[in-house]
Amino acid sequence: MISYRHHIVSLVAVFLALAVGVVLGGGPLSDLGRDDRRPAAAMSAQQTGARTAEYGDAFATSAAPTLYAGRLQEHPVAVVTMPGADPGVVGALTDQIAAAGGTVAGTYAVRRALVDPSQKSLVDTLGTQLAAQLGDGAVAPEASTYDRIGQLLGLAVAPEGLAAADVRAVRESLAGAELLDPPVEVGSAELVLVLLGDRTDPAVLAGVVSGLAAHAPGVVVAGETATAAAGGDLVTLRGEEAAAMAATVDGAETALGQVTTTLALIRSLTTQGGSFGASGSDGAVPPT
């Protein structure tokens, strides 16, 4: 028998499918046939589609507490924002984490120099020095430049087993080199939410994400709808090996995408990876 929770998840997926279907109907596929409707009728259909999308968002928001069932309680989350990430989306996702019973252990803003390929020498030098300072076992010796800096970032946000003085040294070094803003609400996290912003070099993003996943039990990468379009960050990341270690969610600027992202965080407690959202290959909403 289908449980009430699964029924709600199915409805959320249906609403998302309807919304996406309306968008596709106004795109290139509409050229396959002639639309003989009067302009007023076409406008009415567009308005209906907008209302459907709004209803899907409202439904997801109201159903979220039941779907979450407080399962992020005692599972602190670190929020890592990439350059250009929308502060409004960060705030909305933080609210959803709280609605799921979780707390934000720290907010870490990655600065542009960390992901700028022209600054690779700085990133490589600092990463090598910090890895040597921490000693054997902290960072994989075979790690590449951005995988190494991702592992160090992982130690800064989810420092299980690392001495407090070493954690502080990593955080201060990353901030001192202007690769990371001084973190807000600093604490140790179990899960990591990465929010994408401006376009990031694919190799850089994949390295940072895989590095984070080496130290955090669960990593979720969320991006706005545009990041799942051709050439977008989520599209390229989903084609990398790092995608097996971190879940990806598109549509983070919408309420439905924010609920989906939070469900992905819950899922990451037991299962890594997965591609979710309107363009996700594993479904619109993570199975919970």
Side-chain angles (χ1 to χ4, degrees), residues 54 80 97 111 132 137 141-142 150 222 242 252 271:
E54 290 172 2
V80 176
I97 290 170
R111 302 193 70 171
E142 72 279 5
T271 306

Side-chain angles (χ1 to χ4, degrees), residues 173-227:
S173 295
L174 292 174
E178 298 186 345
L179 301 181
L180 190 72
D181 280 351
V184 180
E185 300 176 29
V186 176
S188 180
E190 180 180 356
L191 306 176
V192 178
L193 170 60
V194 180
L195 182 61
L196 301 177
D198 299 335
R199 184 81 169 88
T200 303
D201 181 272
V204 173
L205 180 61
V208 171
V209 170
S210 62
L212 278 168
H215 289 287
V219 177
V220 175
V221 182
E224 297 189 14
T225 301
T227 63

Side-chain angles (χ1 to χ4, degrees), residues 120-130 148:
K120 182 177 181 179
S121 178
L122 168 64
V123 174
D124 188 60
T125 299
L126 179 66
T128 301
Q129 291 174 347
L130 281 175
R148 183 189 304 113

Side-chain angles (χ1 to χ4, degrees), residues 232-259:
D233 279 351
L234 280 180
V235 170
T236 56
L237 182 61
R238 285 167 171 170
E240 300 283 346
E241 292 183 6
M245 298 178 283
T248 58
V249 181
D250 57 77
E253 78 279 14
T254 68
L256 189 51
Q258 291 151 15
V259 172

Side-chain angles (χ1 to χ4, degrees), residues 18-254:
L18 286 173
V20 173
V22 170
V23 174
L24 289 176
L29 294 180
S30 64
D31 292 337
L32 296 176
R34 179 182 176 186
D35 186 354
D36 293 325
R37 293 175 300 172
R38 292 175 300 175
M43 181 59 69
S44 177
Q46 292 173 1
Q47 292 172 342
T48 300
R51 287 195 296 269
T52 300
E54 290 172 2
Y55 180 72
D57 280 345
F59 181 86
T61 301
S62 62
T66 302
L67 293 168
Y68 298 156
R71 285 176 289 168
L72 284 184
Q73 188 171 359
E74 299 182 1
H75 299 291
V77 180
V79 178
V80 176
T81 62
M82 301 299 280
D86 186 340
V89 176
V90 175
L93 286 168
T94 298
D95 290 343
Q96 291 302 320
I97 290 170
T103 57
V104 174
T107 302
Y108 301 81
V110 171
R111 302 193 70 171
R112 205 164 296 278
L114 191 148
V115 296
D116 184 351
S118 69
Q119 299 296 317
K120 182 177 181 179
S121 178
L122 168 64
V123 174
D124 188 60
T125 299
L126 179 66
T128 301
Q129 291 174 347
L130 281 175
Q133 179 180 328
L134 294 173
D136 295 339
V139 176
E142 72 279 5
S144 62
T145 298
Y146 289 102
D147 193 355
R148 183 189 304 113
I149 205 69
Q151 289 187 42
L152 290 166
L153 184 57
L155 290 171
V157 305
E160 183 177 3
L162 196 64
D166 288 335
V167 175
R168 185 166 55 253
V170 171
R171 290 171 176 167
E172 291 177 354
S173 295
L174 292 174
E178 298 186 345
L179 301 181
L180 190 72
D181 280 351
V184 180
E185 300 176 29
V186 176
S188 180
E190 180 180 356
L191 306 176
V192 178
L193 170 60
V194 180
L195 182 61
L196 301 177
D198 299 335
R199 184 81 169 88
T200 303
D201 181 272
V204 173
L205 180 61
V208 171
V209 170
S210 62
L212 278 168
H215 289 287
V219 177
V220 175
V221 182
E224 297 189 14
T225 301
T227 63
D233 279 351
L234 280 180
V235 170
T236 56
L237 182 61
R238 285 167 171 170
E240 300 283 346
E241 292 183 6
M245 298 178 283
T248 58
V249 181
D250 57 77
E253 78 279 14
T254 68

